[in-house]
């Protein structure tokens, strides 16, 4: 899953801002996380790897203690050399979740300097939310999304896609919320975009589980649920 579909844009900005404040030298932070979603009625899992810096990466390689003979090579996220990633393709998600492990990141920066950093991945995961409602309300002229709370989720986020293009991104919001309203004329929409009446869009609901540090770049698991929505109907 493309990072922009897995981590909403607002959260990615927070991650990079955190790196900017804490990281004035050629150093980086890494995050290994589990993504859980549905294939039919079965929960399936993928492993995503991210590295962030306020400098500029030239290359980032990662090795897991669970499989030290395998090297993961991260690539720049859409040309952003402060954010490198490697995400499991949808076709390679499996019913077996990634094992707990220590992930060792080795980074080379554009200035030739190097840095090594780690991230610990546990076996803890959260299930995709069960979406009960995803429907446009003609009385309020808003899209209403409701779901059942996800056990152990720290927070949630919502994206809306037009085909494969993200056209709406919410801010991250509290795990005490289980109803979310979206106005066709409100904030969060891509610049210049207005949802078309009668058109079907894909709604993605993200649930986030953080590591103990609970910083923006220390996620343990993201679960993703999908539903369809027709605006104006």
């Amino acid at each position: 899953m493309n990072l922009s579909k897995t981590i909403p844009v607002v959260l990615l900005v927070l991650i990079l801002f955190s790196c900017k404040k804490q990281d004035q030298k050629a150093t980086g932070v890494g995050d290994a996380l589990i993504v859980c979603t549905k294939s039919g009625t079965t929960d399936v899992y993928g492993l995503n790897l991210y590295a962030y810096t306020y400098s500029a990466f030239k290359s980032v390689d990662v090795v897991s203690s669970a499989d030290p003979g395998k090297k993961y090579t991260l690539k720049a996220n859409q040309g952003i050399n402060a954010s490198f990633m490697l995400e499991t393709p949808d076709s390679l998600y499996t019913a077996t979740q990634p094992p707990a492990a220590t992930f060792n990141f080795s980074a080379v920066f554009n200035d030739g300097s190097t840095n090594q950093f780690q991230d610990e991945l546990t076996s803890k995961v959260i299930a995709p939310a069960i979406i009960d409602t995803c429907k446009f309300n003609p009385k309020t002229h808003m899209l209403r999304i409701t779901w059942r709370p996800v056990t152990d989720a720290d927070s949630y986020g919502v994206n809306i896609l037009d085909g494969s293009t993200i056209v709406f991104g919410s801010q991250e919001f509290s795990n005490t919320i289980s109803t979310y309203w979206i106005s066709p004329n409100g904030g969060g929409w891509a610049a210049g975009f207005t949802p078309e009446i009668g058109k079907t869009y894909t709604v993605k609901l993200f649930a986030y589980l953080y590591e103990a540090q609970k910083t923006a770049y220390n996620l343990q698991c993201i679960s993703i649920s999908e539903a369809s929505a027709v605006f104006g109907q």
Side-chain angles (χ1 to χ4, degrees), residues 39-58:
S39 177
T41 59
T42 302
D43 286 351
V44 292
Y45 306 91
L47 172 69
N48 287 2
L49 301 170
Y50 304 101
Y52 308 103
T53 183
Y54 183 49
S55 303
F57 289 127
K58 181 178 181 180

Side-chain angles (χ1 to χ4, degrees), residues 21-45:
K21 292 195 67 169
Q22 299 175 10
D23 190 13
Q24 299 297 326
K25 297 181 180 179
T27 59
V29 293
D31 198 15
L33 63 91
I34 298 169
V35 181
C36 179
T37 189
K38 289 285 188 183
S39 177
T41 59
T42 302
D43 286 351
V44 292
Y45 306 91

Side-chain angles (χ1 to χ4, degrees), residues 9-218:
V9 173
V10 171
L11 184 54
L12 177 58
V13 170
L14 289 174
I15 291 170
L16 294 177
F17 179 73
S18 298
C19 291
K20 180 175 180 178
K21 292 195 67 169
Q22 299 175 10
D23 190 13
Q24 299 297 326
K25 297 181 180 179
T27 59
V29 293
D31 198 15
L33 63 91
I34 298 169
V35 181
C36 179
T37 189
K38 289 285 188 183
S39 177
T41 59
T42 302
D43 286 351
V44 292
Y45 306 91
L47 172 69
N48 287 2
L49 301 170
Y50 304 101
Y52 308 103
T53 183
Y54 183 49
S55 303
F57 289 127
K58 181 178 181 180
S59 66
V60 180
D61 293 324
V62 185
V63 175
S64 165
S65 63
D67 188 3
K70 180 176 182 180
K71 182 174 71 174
Y72 300 90
T73 299
L74 281 57
K75 299 295 184 183
N77 169 31
Q78 301 179 38
I80 302 172
N81 59 10
S83 170
F84 271 42
M85 68 176 194
L86 179 66
E87 300 186 327
T88 300
D90 293 0
S91 60
L92 295 182
Y93 274 57
T94 70
T96 302
Q97 70 182 66
T102 300
F103 286 83
N104 297 292
F105 293 72
S106 298
V108 178
F109 297 87
N110 279 351
D111 64 1
S113 61
T114 62
N115 184 225
Q116 295 185 340
F117 40 97
Q118 291 183 335
D119 188 55
E120 298 289 337
L121 184 70
T122 72
S123 59
K124 190 171 183 179
V125 297
I126 52 176
I130 297 175
I131 298 175
D132 289 322
T133 307
C134 186
K135 188 174 178 63
F136 189 86
N137 187 320
K139 294 182 179 179
T140 61
H141 299 285
M142 299 176 74
L143 176 67
R144 179 172 179 256
I145 309 167
T146 67
W147 60 92
R148 302 175 199 178
V150 175
T151 301
D152 292 329
D154 290 309
S155 55
Y156 299 102
V158 174
N159 277 357
I160 296 179
L161 284 74
D162 181 3
S164 60
T165 302
I166 296 175
V167 294
F168 175 88
S170 77
Q171 295 198 24
E172 189 179 4
F173 51 88
S174 169
N175 63 357
T176 62
I177 294 173
S178 57
T179 300
Y180 194 77
W181 297 85
I182 300 174
S183 169
N185 303 311
W189 295 99
F193 184 88
T194 301
E196 182 180 333
I197 293 176
K199 186 171 182 177
T200 301
Y201 296 90
T202 300
V203 176
K204 288 181 178 282
L205 173 64
F206 303 88
Y208 302 107
L209 172 65
Y210 281 88
E211 297 175 25
Q213 300 92 333
K214 294 189 184 301
T215 54
Y217 47 82
N218 276 303

